[in-house]
Amino acid sequence: MKKRIVLATALAALMNSGISLQAQTAQHGPIVVHPEKRYLQYEDGTPFFYLGDTAWELFHRLNLDEARMYLSDRAMKGYTVIQAVALAELDGLRTPNAYGELPFTDANYSIPNEAYFKHVDAIIDLADSLGMVIGLLPTWGDKMNKGWGEGPIIFDTEQRSEEYGRYLGNRYKDRKNIIWILGGDRDYTGYEPYVRAMAKGIAIGISGKEDYSKCLMTVHPYGSGTSAKWFHNDEWLDFNMQQNGHCYDVDVWDRIQREYNLTPTKPIMDGEPLYDEHPVCFDRAKHGTSMDFQTRRFFYHEVFSGAFGHTQGCHAIWQMWAPDKEPINGPIRPWYESLGLIASYQMGYGRALMESRPFFSRIPDQSIITEGQHDGLRHISATRDKNGSYAMIYSEQGDPFAVNLNKLSGKKINAWWFDVRNGKSINAGSYNKANSQWFYPPTKGKGNDWVLVLDDASKKFPEPGKSTK
């Protein structure tokens, strides 16, 4: 009964949200890398902000009605990518999906089960109808490098890996709303040939030849890892993905910036930061579970340091935990009760902020902060338009700071405080150019993070977070 109430509420909110219930890829084409290699866009040049959610067990644990409940909620809140795994982590080869189907019909895990993959098809199509992309992991990493997982290992040769890649590539060659995410939370040292073989197989399955231009690909690494460690120079790796893990005090600005500066240039993002309501550093007794102010810091520090997007997560939702399932690391409440956590709304506010200003010309620039910088949890991150039309500065604990307004264009600078908790803005006045102008956030202390938005007044930009259309 409670799940049905949540479903009705989510669908009603979606219908009233003004969000277009249609496939964006049908209008704009598939997702590709922007020509300058910093961002993603639709094929027709329309900007694409990657706002992801980790729903690793989506195909494995939810039926279609439950998937509709989850996807409708995320579409309403502005998510654009749902990251999910075809061969799931939680004993995905031997524990059936919600309809009693296993992914393979034989003991050698080599003959795909049509009924299982039809369910995957249906969820991918449902996401498309709601305007979202699936970040599709062909398999969790324990099927290649068992490590701490359930396994069993089935991708232990290049041939097996390529064959499975060909199967998926051919199956989904006509679907435009897929970003391929290989691997799955593992160290790939010594396993690189199997990952590369799967990428090759996907490309051949899609286009009939080893042509990587028809598929957008990356790799999901282990905690504190990055795809760049193994595959940065590979042709098929279109953008780098980090996993900055489930601790709180993490120098994500440095981690993103290091890969932003790599050559050849490739877009960079975090595909798994600290999840909402996750035991911090996996130690609930010592650190408790994460709250919204701990998870949203990753969004602003990373995006302002050069990331092209961001992935959010929730501890109960990644595993789609319900009372009839075995819990992993103590989720607080079932997945369907976790849909309404405040952090899930706040990610959408962040996306709206980034889309309310020129998109492809944004660069990280910490040098615009002239005074007031701090280390650790009081770090301040800054980004701006390379042509000077705007700047944004994130103060994690409401600390004041000074800005070089001469890095902005125009004679007058309009200022706003953007409240990351509710997506609203406060007019902070107009300023003349100055080498070092101090700004003081409206509130201060842990959980009182703010974004200062500075605009060239002559550009007449809308209020931060409001549509430019």
Side-chain angles (χ1 to χ4, degrees):
M1 176 62 72
K2 185 174 288 187
K3 282 195 287 186
R4 288 198 293 272
I5 293 172
V6 174
L7 173 58
T9 302
L11 289 175
L14 179 61
M15 296 302 180
N16 294 324
S17 68
I19 291 173
S20 177
L21 297 181
Q22 54 187 337
Q24 296 298 302
T25 53
Q27 298 179 66
H28 303 297
I31 313 301
V32 298
V33 176
H34 182 262
E36 294 182 7
K37 310 296 185 185
R38 292 298 188 193
Y39 296 97
L40 301 185
Q41 63 177 38
Y42 291 98
E43 191 175 44
D44 68 357
T46 302
F48 179 80
F49 188 87
Y50 189 121
L51 180 57
D53 194 32
T54 46
W56 301 134
E57 293 286 320
L58 173 63
F59 303 130
H60 186 215
R61 283 191 161 178
L62 299 194
N63 64 36
L64 194 57
D65 284 340
E66 292 168 331
R68 184 175 291 107
M69 178 201 310
Y70 164 72
L71 293 172
S72 298
D73 177 87
R74 271 20 192 179
M76 174 189 70
K77 293 170 180 171
Y79 286 79
T80 58
V81 181
I82 302 299
Q83 296 172 191
V85 192
L87 306 182
E89 175 183 8
L90 301 180
D91 201 22
L93 295 179
R94 296 172 295 203
T95 298
N97 69 8
Y99 297 101
E101 302 290 349
L102 293 170
F104 297 99
T105 60
D106 65 316
N108 293 322
Y109 308 107
S110 60
I111 303 174
N113 179 359
E114 180 66 14
Y116 179 91
F117 283 96
K118 277 189 174 180
H119 181 54
V120 176
D121 302 346
I123 292 176
I124 293 174
D125 292 342
L126 178 57
D128 194 32
S129 74
L130 293 168
M132 293 188 292
V133 171
I134 293 292
L136 182 58
L137 281 75
T139 179
W140 200 246
D142 62 327
K143 282 71 174 170
M144 184 178 294
N145 171 10
K146 187 171 183 296
W148 58 92
E150 294 285 343
I153 293 174
I154 62 173
F155 301 114
D156 53 357
T157 68
E158 292 178 55
Q159 180 179 350
R160 286 288 302 267
S161 299
E162 183 178 328
E163 286 175 351
Y164 179 58
R166 285 192 188 211
Y167 169 76
L168 290 181
N170 182 66
R171 187 176 190 96
Y172 298 119
K173 63 185 177 183
D174 296 324
R175 286 175 170 83
K176 298 178 181 179
N177 70 317
I178 291 177
I179 295 174
W180 297 92
I181 305 176
L182 304 188
D185 198 21
R186 286 298 182 276
D187 183 337
Y188 304 106
T189 304
Y191 300 88
E192 298 97 333
Y194 310 143
V195 177
R196 291 183 173 119
M198 196 170 291
K200 177 181 177 181
I202 291 169
I204 293 173
I206 290 173
S207 63
K209 57 185 178 179
E210 194 175 350
D211 178 6
Y212 296 110
S213 67
K214 306 300 182 184
C215 43
L216 191 68
M217 293 191 190
T218 189
V219 169
H220 176 256
Y222 62 83
S224 300
T226 168
S227 58
K229 176 179 178 179
W230 306 277
F231 306 111
H232 183 74
N233 293 312
D234 284 30
E235 175 191 358
W236 57 267
L237 189 86
D238 294 295
F239 63 90
N240 277 308
M241 178 176 281
Q242 298 179 357
Q243 180 189 162
N244 286 316
H246 300 286
C247 291
Y248 171 33
D249 185 4
V250 182
D251 60 342
V252 289
W253 47 89
D254 286 336
R255 297 182 184 192
I256 293 293
Q257 192 73 58
R258 280 196 294 269
E259 289 180 26
Y260 184 91
N261 292 329
L262 289 178
T263 54
T265 300
K266 291 189 175 182
I268 173 64
M269 66 163 292
D270 186 351
E272 186 175 335
L274 175 61
Y275 287 161
D276 204 16
E277 292 198 335
H278 192 286
V280 177
C281 275
F282 294 92
D283 192 337
R284 190 189 308 268
K286 185 175 181 180
H287 302 294
T289 54
S290 61
M291 300 175 65
D292 60 312
F293 74 87
Q294 294 170 306
T295 61
R296 68 174 175 257
R297 74 183 293 268
F298 287 82
F299 180 105
Y300 291 98
H301 282 310
E302 292 175 350
V303 171
F304 286 16
S305 298
F308 67 84
H310 182 73
T311 297
Q312 170 71 352
C314 172
H315 187 44
I317 289 174
W318 79 257
Q319 59 187 286
M320 295 301 176
W321 181 75
D324 62 338
K325 301 291 192 297
E326 185 71 24
I328 307 297
N329 293 324
I332 293 175
R333 68 193 90 232
W335 69 267
Y336 44 84
E337 293 181 13
S338 300
L339 291 175
L341 292 173
I342 189 63
S344 66
Y345 291 90
Q346 292 168 347
M347 296 300 108
Y349 305 152
R351 174 193 165 191
L353 173 64
M354 305 319 297
E355 291 181 343
S356 69
R357 297 295 181 269
F359 195 84
F360 296 123
S361 56
R362 183 176 60 81
I363 60 172
D365 183 8
Q366 310 317 312
S367 70
I368 198 171
I369 304 168
T370 58
E371 297 179 78
Q373 183 60 277
H374 298 277
D375 296 325
L377 294 176
R378 295 173 64 195
H379 181 82
I380 298 171
S381 293
T383 186
R384 67 177 176 88
D385 172 44
K386 65 183 178 183
N387 301 311
S389 69
Y390 72 90
M392 299 179 186
I393 300 97
Y394 175 66
S395 179
E396 181 171 344
Q397 295 197 16
D399 289 305
F401 52 85
V403 179
N404 181 0
L405 296 183
N406 286 320
K407 286 207 169 190
L408 296 171
S409 60
K411 295 180 180 179
K412 279 282 188 182
I413 306 300
N414 291 338
W416 304 81
W417 287 110
F418 181 78
D419 190 336
V420 298
R421 288 159 293 280
N422 60 25
K424 297 180 180 179
S425 296
I426 302 170
N427 191 315
S430 295
Y431 296 83
N432 295 318
K433 291 292 195 67
N435 288 327
S436 189
Q437 173 68 53
W438 279 91
F439 292 91
Y440 297 82
T443 58
K444 184 177 181 180
K446 187 174 288 188
N448 289 273
D449 43 342
W450 292 87
V451 173
L452 176 69
V453 180
L454 299 169
D455 293 329
D456 174 348
S458 68
K459 301 300 182 182
K460 301 185 185 311
F461 291 138
E463 180 179 327
K466 302 299 183 183
S467 175
T468 57
K469 297 179 181 179

